[in-house]
Amino acid sequence: MEGRPGFKRLLRALASTSGVLLIIVITALSIQALQQQAGADHNDSSGEAALLPVSTLALQPESGFTTTARLTGRLHPAREVALAFEPAGRVVDIEVALGDAVSEGQILARLDTRRLLARRAEIQAQLDETAIALELARLEEDRQQSLRESDLNTRQALDRSRTERRRMEAMLSGLHAGLAGVDADIDDSALRAPFAGRITEKHIELGAMLAGSTPAFQLMDHRRLEALIGVPASKAAALVQAGETVTLNSRGQDFTGTVRSLIPEIDASRQTATLIVDVDNGNGLIPGQLVEWKTETLIEEPGYWVPTTALASGERGLWSLLVAEPDSNGIAIVRRASVEYLHGNGSHVFVRGTVNSGALVITEGAHRIVPGQRVQLLRQATP
């Protein structure tokens, strides 16, 4: 009987705890119901707010695209020649050094001419002697001609005197030719520059004994340059015409040139033809430098320019675009269009395929969208 009041107190405590728990459960269920109702009301009021917004580009048809080709070549001197002494002799004077700039007609080196001068004096003496003998032969011929007219000598005597005169004339002509040859050798013993330029090679030394036609110097016209550029054989004739002005570049320096000609021969290994361009202003340029020519070619092929970001890989070597087909409320359905990649310039690509002019191409975020998805259209990008 003494334990019954404690038991009653326990029953009252349990009843109080159960009431609190019941109140908590009822409150939580009420809050959840209110949140669900609020979410339903929000969805009913916002409509399509959950649709993904996309930017699009309206396709504009193009008749073709321009490609830029970078063709390379090398600078060469327009004139370069190996200079040599024609006669043999000993080098007694060298007036230029390797790398010197020379003017047209400037003497570069000389050979010893003492033997040539002695030979000239010898021939001159023979020539003088022969000239005297020729004068006597002419006088004798005139005398025999007078005697023959008076029937005081024979025809044979006249013929002999005439033949002697002719022999002396032939001998005199030969001596004149020999003298001219010696004079030419004396003149050629002084090696002169045939044009203004720069000495790029030197093969002789002072005191050296040279045989005839031994190379002495290499002379280059450094002021006049030409560019030899390899161009595709299939497009060579269409790229440029003789007389046309082109812009070239070498080591970051732009300069102009005039097309001289196209060598009518194909390099079998590279399938290129050689274009010759006369450099209009070669200041600061050096033979042997690489030269680049950027040329643009119009490819007539209908298609569309689209941003690179709009392109996705497709099947069988093709690419794909996502096209948005809108309704009157600005909501669009996405479909896939297959296209062929024709040309690219880094930020844009030129394509053709199953798209029409004016189609709205999704320009960004194509990886987040699948065909059949509904999207919200935003601004249109510029081509």
Side-chain angles (χ1 to χ4, degrees):
M1 298 297 294
E2 293 178 356
R4 184 171 294 180
F7 179 74
K8 290 180 178 180
R9 286 195 299 272
L10 177 61
L11 289 177
R12 287 196 297 270
L14 290 174
S16 176
T17 303
S18 299
V20 173
L21 291 175
L22 180 61
I23 293 172
I24 292 173
V25 171
I26 293 172
T27 302
L29 291 175
S30 299
I31 293 173
Q32 182 178 2
L34 290 173
Q35 289 176 342
Q36 291 176 349
Q37 181 63 36
D41 294 342
H42 177 72
N43 288 338
D44 291 342
S45 62
S46 61
E48 301 294 340
L51 296 180
L52 181 67
V54 296
S55 297
T56 58
L57 166 70
L59 294 183
Q60 301 295 327
E62 301 286 346
S63 59
F65 56 92
T66 300
T67 61
T68 300
R70 296 176 179 268
L71 306 177
T72 59
R74 194 174 295 274
L75 291 174
H76 294 264
R79 292 187 295 179
E80 188 172 18
V81 64
L83 301 178
F85 288 103
E86 185 171 348
R90 187 180 304 278
V91 180
V92 294
D93 185 25
I94 298 177
E95 299 191 4
V96 294
L98 185 65
D100 283 355
V102 300
S103 58
E104 182 178 353
Q106 179 179 339
I107 294 178
L108 309 179
R110 289 186 176 89
L111 296 178
D112 187 358
T113 58
R114 290 177 299 172
R115 287 182 173 80
L116 289 174
L117 293 173
R119 175 60 180 161
R120 188 185 192 286
E122 180 184 355
I123 294 176
Q124 183 63 55
Q126 293 175 354
L127 193 149
D128 294 341
E129 181 181 356
T130 304
I132 294 172
L134 175 60
E135 183 63 25
L136 291 175
R138 286 172 176 168
L139 292 174
E140 178 62 19
E141 183 183 5
D142 291 342
R143 189 174 69 83
Q144 292 297 331
Q145 179 66 34
S146 299
L147 293 175
R148 179 59 185 159
E149 292 173 356
S150 303
D151 293 330
L152 297 178
N153 68 346
T154 63
R155 178 70 182 182
Q156 184 178 9
L158 178 59
D159 290 342
R160 281 198 300 268
S161 62
R162 184 171 295 166
T163 301
E164 181 65 14
R165 186 261 303 169
R166 290 176 178 172
R167 189 177 71 83
M168 291 295 105
E169 288 178 342
M171 186 179 295
L172 192 65
S173 296
L175 291 172
H176 276 296
L179 188 63
V182 172
D183 286 340
D185 284 344
I186 292 174
D187 186 62
D188 290 341
S189 294
L191 188 60
R192 292 176 172 83
F195 53 81
R198 191 174 295 277
I199 303 296
T200 58
E201 293 181 27
K202 175 176 172 287
H203 304 289
I204 61 173
E205 297 296 338
L206 193 65
M209 189 66 189
L210 305 181
S213 302
T214 300
F217 301 99
Q218 190 79 11
L219 178 65
M220 178 189 70
D221 187 351
H222 62 287
R223 301 173 306 170
R224 295 177 54 192
L225 300 177
E226 62 186 17
L228 303 185
I229 303 172
V231 298
S234 59
K235 302 178 181 179
L239 281 176
V240 72
Q241 301 296 324
E244 186 175 340
T245 299
V246 295
T247 299
L248 307 177
N249 182 279
S250 182
R251 297 182 180 179
Q253 176 183 350
D254 287 335
F255 56 95
T256 60
T258 303
V259 176
R260 187 199 310 168
S261 63
L262 181 70
I263 298 178
E265 184 178 359
I266 304 300
D267 186 321
S269 62
R270 295 182 296 176
Q271 286 300 300
T272 58
T274 300
L275 185 71
I276 304 177
V277 180
D278 291 323
V279 176
D280 296 335
N281 186 357
N283 292 337
L285 301 175
I286 302 174
Q289 285 183 210
L290 291 177
V291 62
E292 182 182 74
W293 175 38
K294 291 192 295 185
T295 177
E296 295 184 345
T297 303
L298 176 63
I299 306 299
E300 296 183 357
E301 185 69 51
Y304 306 93
W305 283 106
V306 298
T308 304
T309 54
L311 204 63
S313 59
E315 299 177 351
R316 300 176 183 177
L318 296 177
W319 296 80
S320 66
L321 299 173
L322 293 181
V323 179
E325 297 180 342
D327 59 19
S328 58
N329 297 321
I331 307 302
I333 300 295
V334 177
R335 71 173 181 85
R336 188 184 303 277
S338 295
V339 293
E340 181 183 359
Y341 182 110
L342 298 180
H343 178 67
N345 61 11
S347 62
H348 288 72
V349 294
F350 193 85
V351 299
R352 65 181 177 188
T354 59
V355 287
N356 298 318
S357 175
L360 299 180
V361 173
I362 298 175
T363 58
E364 296 179 357
H367 62 284
R368 299 180 296 155
I369 306 171
V370 296
Q373 182 176 342
R374 303 178 73 202
V375 295
Q376 182 180 5
L377 299 182
L378 295 179
R379 60 180 176 82
Q380 288 189 5
T382 57

